[in-house]
Amino acid sequence: MPPRPSRLRPVWLTVGFFLTGLGFLGLVLPGFPGTVFFILAAAAFAKGDPKWEAWLLSRPVVGELVSDYRAGRGMPLRAKWIACVCIVLAVSFSLTRIPVLVGQIAWVLVGLAGIWFITLRTPTKRP
């Protein structure tokens, strides 16, 4: 018996397209991550429509990034360095724009959590 179509299918597709758009922005905007949005978009498309997931995975750069993440191969060392430097720069430049000390501390903790995840929890892809 074929699976029943989900009532949430349109929601998952909308989320997938939105995240894909953010991912493509991340490919062209310096300091804006792209890979995480593509990974999340692929997960949304997997729940919404496997055809769109296959389309996303067939994109030249994007497909490899998502496939590497799903297979547990992680990130190249150069990408890890770039991501960590971007986090440090983004947190540093925006810290003075947060007027409340608690907000500044929270923002620094968010940046440190990102660096921790990239450096210690994400495997380094070997060439």
Side-chain angles (χ1 to χ4, degrees), residues 4-120:
R4 287 185 4 211
S6 169
R7 282 191 233 143
L8 293 177
R9 183 176 183 262
V11 173
W12 285 118
L13 288 174
T14 302
V15 169
F17 287 120
F18 178 74
L19 292 169
T20 299
L22 289 177
F24 280 117
L25 278 176
L27 291 179
V28 295
L29 294 176
F32 190 77
T35 306
V36 67
F37 293 114
F38 288 126
I39 291 168
L40 293 172
F45 283 144
K47 291 181 181 241
D49 189 344
K51 289 183 215 172
W52 283 107
E53 178 190 20
W55 171 83
L56 185 64
L57 294 175
S58 71
R59 300 299 95 207
V61 174
V62 176
E64 182 181 353
L65 294 171
V66 175
S67 297
D68 284 349
Y69 177 80
R70 285 181 168 178
R73 289 189 285 271
M75 294 172 66
L77 185 59
R78 181 174 183 270
K80 282 186 165 192
W81 273 101
I82 291 170
C84 289
V85 167
C86 286
I87 290 171
V88 168
L89 290 174
V91 168
S92 299
F93 287 132
S94 61
L95 200 56
T96 59
R97 302 189 138 260
I98 301 172
V100 181
L101 180 62
V102 174
Q104 292 174 341
I105 292 170
W107 189 234
V108 169
L109 291 175
V110 167
L112 289 173
I115 291 171
W116 169 80
F117 187 83
I118 291 168
T119 57
L120 299 177

